[in-house]
Amino acid sequence: MRHSNHRGRTGRMEANILHADLDAFYASVEQLLDPALRGKPIAVGGGVVLAASYEAKAFGVRGGMPGRRARELCPGLIFVGGHFKDYQRLGDAAIQVLSDFTPVVERISIDEAFADVAGCTHLFGPPAEIATTIRRRVRAELGLPISVGVARTKHLAKIASQVAKPDGLMVVDPRHELEFLHDLPVELMWGVGPVTRERLAGIGVRTIGELAKTNGGSLERLLGPAAGEKLNALAWNRDPRKLETQRRARSASAQSALGRRPAEAKIFVPTLLHLADRVATRLRAKSRPGRTVTVRVRFADLRSVTRSITLDQPISATATLAEIAEALVRKVLVDHPHEKTISLLAIAVSHLEKQPALQLELPLGLDDDSRRPGTRKGAARWTADRAVDKIRDRFGWEAVGYASVTLGESRSVPDAFRELAEKEL
């Protein structure tokens, strides 16, 4: 694969990076499958909006919003259930179109990917022409709209595809990239969510240009050293990252939006068990247990607190992960006694290891024996989990489960939808 050697002080000077993003993907697929829905405001989901069409977004409807609120904003909103196999099929087909032009493709979700076309312009023309052909093929072959950004760096290409939406193409000339970038709102940047946006607004920073001109020390005090330094670099389009064509997840995670629920054990214990079940099942399926467990608790004001622990041995047992997560959440609540409402819970396991077989340990009678995979208690948990895995593999996820999850949790987001967002371990 040939790459350009013409580089400036911040990276290569040619705009050869494409970021392709299918527009309102889940809703667009539903409108494709049912032509009667085209041009109408639709939402995938029910109790919670999983995705919304552009017609619904015009009324303020967005993903993650409670269904009741969405109906208030858009009285004519049509809810549909979701065709998850079609999402996977069409998402794969769209990414394959990119792969027809270059093998250097980094898929980052079911409906978006980067592509480096530096080595194929002699075959297919300039990057802008390649992007135009990709968009035309996806529309003609799949019937779906796709927006493409073309730029010199990954970060700028992703921003350009957002600016191009809906169903557009944006090519950023390397000679004028800062002129393009600095007038845009900070929330278009990678890593700037609602909380960070509000913090930046509090110091008068609303555009990327204002962020670029903000004193580095001020950003570090506001966001922390790592985040402040990273955002400042991206604001100047300093992004040396290359495409990772063999990208594998460094962690496994799951989260559950709860709305506004009391910070009580009867709420968070079954939710954590469900999340642990989802994460641990993935870890066992790939024989990749992990040593670091992190929980995130989001309160009513959308402020999040995280706690983590690194274990001596990697784990993948559902009950063990749930117990550790519960202990971490209880610590968060003790540290924040005035918080009485939880809006989101998340579990992540990182520092994954490749473990082909369970290593047994001598029974030492330690307090954490049940958490150590190789002890008698730990092995019993692992054996029970593997039995559950086999039943689910044969009869489906709902065939068997853990009592407090099965009896206690009402799932507003289907597991099939969550699985589409899970990275390959």
Side-chain angles (χ1 to χ4, degrees):
M1 185 76 186
R2 180 180 63 84
H3 290 275
S4 171
N5 291 320
H6 298 291
R7 295 179 179 269
R9 62 184 179 88
T10 58
R12 95 174 112 227
M13 293 307 297
E14 296 84 359
N16 291 319
I17 303 297
L18 276 59
H19 179 262
D21 192 357
L22 289 155
D23 297 318
F25 178 55
Y26 302 112
S28 294
V29 171
E30 296 301 328
Q31 291 174 324
L32 174 68
L33 297 176
D34 184 357
L37 297 175
R38 295 176 186 172
K40 296 180 180 179
I42 71 166
V44 180
V48 174
V49 175
L50 305 179
S53 66
Y54 279 104
E55 295 85 357
K57 290 179 179 181
F59 288 87
V61 178
R62 54 181 173 76
M65 177 179 288
R68 180 181 301 177
R69 176 58 177 160
R71 290 185 177 91
E72 291 174 353
L73 292 173
C74 181
L77 186 64
I78 302 171
F79 272 92
V80 295
H83 293 79
F84 301 102
K85 290 184 179 179
D86 289 301
Y87 300 157
Q88 189 69 63
R89 173 179 61 83
L90 290 166
D92 291 346
I95 303 304
Q96 182 57 49
V97 172
L98 297 178
S99 300
D100 288 346
F101 291 88
T102 173
V104 190
V105 175
E106 177 185 346
R107 187 172 187 174
I108 58 176
S109 73
I110 188 173
D111 57 350
E112 62 178 319
F114 289 102
D116 187 336
V117 298
C120 61
T121 54
H122 63 293
L123 294 174
F124 303 111
E129 185 176 327
I130 294 173
T132 299
T133 304
I134 288 171
R135 294 186 62 246
R136 183 171 61 245
R137 279 190 54 186
V138 170
R139 172 65 80 173
E141 297 172 17
L142 306 178
L144 293 172
I146 188 169
S147 295
V148 180
V150 184
R152 187 176 55 85
T153 65
K154 291 174 69 174
H155 180 248
L156 194 56
K158 184 171 175 64
I159 287 181
S161 71
Q162 294 178 75
V163 173
K165 287 182 176 293
D167 195 18
L169 169 65
M170 174 62 66
V171 180
V172 182
D173 188 328
R175 296 169 297 179
H176 305 292
E177 57 192 20
L178 293 183
E179 297 172 30
F180 166 79
L181 183 63
H182 282 179
D183 286 336
L184 299 173
V186 291
E187 56 263 33
L188 290 184
M189 295 182 68
W190 220 332
V192 177
V195 174
T196 301
R197 181 192 63 198
E198 291 304 314
R199 288 180 180 175
L200 291 172
I203 61 171
V205 173
R206 291 179 172 81
T207 69
I208 297 176
E210 291 170 341
L211 175 62
K213 296 171 185 175
T214 300
N215 178 272
S218 299
L219 286 178
E220 291 183 8
R221 285 191 295 273
L222 183 69
L223 306 174
E229 182 180 357
K230 179 181 179 181
L231 288 182
N232 179 264
L234 293 178
W236 289 103
N237 197 33
R238 293 196 292 267
D239 182 13
R241 294 172 302 167
K242 298 179 180 179
L243 272 65
E244 301 177 41
T245 57
Q246 301 297 325
R247 195 179 190 205
R248 298 183 78 187
R250 297 181 177 90
S251 65
S253 63
Q255 67 179 34
S256 179
L258 303 177
R260 291 173 177 266
R261 304 294 296 277
E264 300 174 355
K266 66 180 181 181
I267 300 298
F268 64 76
V269 170
T271 301
L272 290 172
L273 182 52
H274 173 61
L275 296 176
D277 192 14
R278 292 210 56 77
V279 172
T281 298
R282 294 177 60 209
L283 297 177
R284 293 192 300 273
K286 297 298 182 179
S287 297
R288 298 196 70 199
R291 293 192 300 113
T292 299
V293 178
T294 303
V295 300
R296 179 161 63 99
V297 182
R298 190 173 71 193
F299 299 118
D301 61 358
L302 301 184
R303 184 169 57 93
S304 293
V305 176
T306 62
R307 291 289 185 274
S308 65
I309 184 172
T310 297
L311 308 169
D312 292 335
Q313 293 188 348
I315 62 167
S316 62
T318 295
T320 301
L321 178 56
E323 286 178 0
I324 294 171
E326 180 185 339
L328 291 172
V329 168
R330 289 185 183 276
K331 187 176 189 308
V332 169
L333 296 178
V334 168
D335 293 342
H336 297 80
H338 300 298
E339 298 291 351
K340 305 299 182 184
T341 303
I342 298 175
S343 62
L344 179 142
L345 288 170
I347 295 176
V349 178
S350 55
H351 290 120
L352 305 184
E353 300 181 4
K354 192 68 177 176
Q355 187 176 34
L358 184 65
Q359 299 296 317
L360 298 180
E361 302 178 28
L362 292 174
L364 300 177
L366 301 177
D367 291 339
D368 64 346
D369 265 4
S370 63
R371 296 183 180 182
R372 300 173 69 85
T375 63
R376 180 179 297 177
K377 291 181 179 178
R381 286 182 166 182
W382 189 84
T383 301
D385 283 334
R386 292 303 297 163
V388 169
D389 295 339
K390 289 180 180 178
I391 293 172
R392 286 172 168 171
D393 288 343
R394 184 172 180 181
F395 299 106
W397 181 272
E398 301 297 338
V400 64
Y402 294 84
S404 60
V405 172
T406 305
L407 300 177
E409 183 181 12
S410 174
R411 301 178 196 169
S412 58
V413 180
D415 288 332
F417 189 86
R418 299 180 194 272
E419 289 170 1
L420 294 176
E422 292 175 349
K423 298 174 184 176
E424 182 70 15
L425 296 180

